[in-house]
Amino acid sequence: EVQLLESGGALVQPGGSLRLSCAASGFTFSTSAMNWVRQAPGKGLEWVSVIYSGGRTTFFADSVQGRFTLSRDDSKNTLYLQMNSLRAEDTAIYYCAKDGYGGNGLYYFDYWGQGTLVTVSS
Amino acid sequence: EIAMTQSPATLSVSPGERATLSCRASQSVSSNLAWYQQKPGQAPRLLIYGASTRATGIPARFSGSGSGTEFTLTISSLQSEDFAVYYCQQYYNWLTFGGGTKVELK
């Protein structure tokens, strides 16, 4: 059974930093592209970032480009999202999502975690 | 950026009725279109990819159609567990989601 378990969400002040983690199991993590998708309270879904298999290629939404970084540790089957210079508009539930097609590219998401809440407020 | 527009915003349906949800892209996305279902307090669940292919375990009452800029998700006979918000997502050029359609009890 595929499982994705996010952690690290918290209340943080504007300008602060936070690192989210996503622990994966039930599939071959190392060959899968992995994504973060967020959802502001009461709003729709917004794709945030992707990391391809191998970990050398990442892409980000314009809204977080230059502030967020994404990495993976295939030995631990874990994905990490480092969020810096946080703003109020980054407040959202952050979902870890597995790419449904393969290890490289931007496609659809066949498995999602339950999400972790990030609140940016003073 | 390709914009995705879903209509209607809210759809009121009785159990057993047919529900038809629309998704329009601002430019052609070919068949690179997925549909998700999200219930309150839960993560989204993949229903359809490739515009018309049901994901693993998705009941046959869910069907997707369309290509280019116009897409439809049809729920042939609505069950109580189908009341939820539905999102479309294009993956032709980067990734963008529609604003969602809430299917509620009439």
Side-chain angles (χ1 to χ4, degrees):
Chain A
E1 179 191 6
V2 172
Q3 290 193 336
L4 298 170
L5 184 61
E6 303 94 335
S7 61
L11 171 63
V12 60
Q13 292 189 339
S17 297
L18 205 58
R19 188 176 85 156
L20 305 184
S21 300
C22 172
S25 61
F27 65 101
T28 307
F29 181 79
S30 62
T31 61
S32 298
M34 297 296 297
N35 297 260
W36 288 93
V37 177
R38 69 184 181 182
Q39 186 170 36
K43 302 297 183 181
L45 301 168
E46 178 189 17
W47 172 77
V48 173
S49 180
V50 64
I51 186 167
Y52 289 175
S53 63
R56 285 188 291 272
T57 301
T58 57
F59 294 104
F60 297 89
D62 289 344
S63 56
V64 306
Q65 180 74 49
R67 301 187 297 122
F68 290 12
T69 58
L70 187 53
S71 61
R72 62 192 297 160
D73 185 337
D74 291 344
S75 68
K76 296 182 178 179
N77 286 356
T78 302
L79 181 70
Y80 302 102
L81 181 67
Q82 178 67 43
M83 303 186 295
N84 299 328
S85 302
L86 283 163
R87 307 166 179 168
E89 54 264 36
D90 295 319
T91 294
I93 296 172
Y94 284 72
Y95 295 102
C96 170
K98 173 185 170 293
D99 185 275
Y101 187 79
N104 298 290
L106 293 169
Y107 296 97
Y108 49 89
F109 313 116
D110 58 354
Y111 292 97
W112 299 62
Q114 282 305 301
T116 187
L117 177 62
V118 173
T119 303
V120 184
S121 175
S122 55
Chain B
E1 177 180 303
I2 298 177
M4 306 300 292
T5 302
Q6 291 187 241
S7 62
T10 303
L11 184 62
S12 299
V13 187
S14 299
E17 288 187 340
R18 183 185 195 89
T20 303
L21 290 65
S22 296
C23 175
R24 174 177 293 177
S26 61
Q27 63 187 77
S28 177
V29 299
S30 187
S31 294
N32 297 300
L33 193 284
W35 289 94
Y36 301 88
Q37 175 194 68
Q38 186 178 34
K39 297 179 181 179
Q42 296 186 17
R45 176 175 71 144
L46 177 67
L47 298 175
I48 301 284
Y49 62 92
S52 61
T53 302
R54 275 191 302 277
T56 302
I58 301 304
R61 65 179 181 273
F62 292 92
S63 63
S65 62
S67 66
T69 62
E70 300 285 342
F71 300 88
T72 301
L73 175 69
T74 301
I75 311 172
S76 59
S77 178
L78 210 75
Q79 304 298 301
S80 58
E81 61 266 30
D82 300 334
F83 293 103
V85 178
Y86 292 82
Y87 294 95
C88 62
Q89 175 232 326
Q90 67 81 19
Y91 49 97
Y92 180 78
N93 184 355
W94 295 97
L95 302 173
T96 47
F97 291 90
T101 291
K102 181 180 181 180
V103 176
E104 66 174 21
L105 181 62
K106 186 174 183 179

